Amino acid sequence: MIHVIATIKTNLGCKNKVLEALLAIQPKVLLEEGCHQYEPLGDVQSELPRPVPFRSDTIVLIEQWESVDHLKAHLATPLLKQYQKTVEDWVQSVSLQVLKSVDKLL
């Protein structure tokens, strides 16, 4: 099992458009083989110690896949390619962190 944190930095004022596009594909992505989680999230302002500065134009997508191969298959789907084309003018950058449980690292 792998976990993916996709950080999507949107252009000013475009966050809701990107979020709507993500929510539109979410049900179909969740049906893909090997997908266990695909959830877009946004920052919450809080009084907690050591917060990341609030990012009003950032979406964090939390994903869980059975394997890197399943993630690669997802990245190659026509659904994701169309999503990327839809949002390309609204997105500044996307970064991916691929993680696995620490017991698998030892």
Side-chain angles (χ1 to χ4, degrees):
M1 179 84 62
I2 61 164
H3 305 264
V4 178
I5 301 171
T7 304
I8 304 165
K9 172 78 171 137
T10 65
N11 291 325
L12 189 62
C14 294
K15 181 178 178 179
N16 286 345
K17 292 177 185 178
V18 176
L19 192 53
E20 287 172 9
L22 275 172
L23 291 173
I25 68 167
Q26 182 184 31
K28 292 176 184 172
V29 173
L30 287 168
L31 294 175
E32 290 179 28
E33 184 178 340
C35 183
H36 297 277
Q37 182 180 14
Y38 196 82
E39 185 172 359
L41 303 168
D43 287 6
V44 173
Q45 290 183 324
S46 71
E47 303 280 329
L48 297 174
R50 297 182 283 189
V52 170
F54 183 76
R55 302 164 299 176
S56 62
D57 291 314
T58 299
I59 299 165
V60 177
L61 182 62
I62 304 296
E63 305 176 44
Q64 215 174 33
W65 294 91
E66 196 63 38
S67 69
V68 171
D69 287 338
H70 287 98
L71 174 60
K72 286 179 180 178
H74 162 67
L75 295 173
T77 62
L79 178 68
L80 192 66
K81 299 288 187 192
Q82 181 58 50
Y83 158 80
Q84 290 169 334
K85 184 177 172 102
T86 298
V87 302
E88 68 184 344
D89 291 335
W90 306 329
V91 172
Q92 271 186 34
S93 65
V94 177
S95 65
L96 298 178
Q97 285 179 271
V98 180
L99 310 160
K100 62 182 175 178
S101 179
V102 293
D103 65 329
K104 307 288 188 216
L105 297 173
L106 300 175

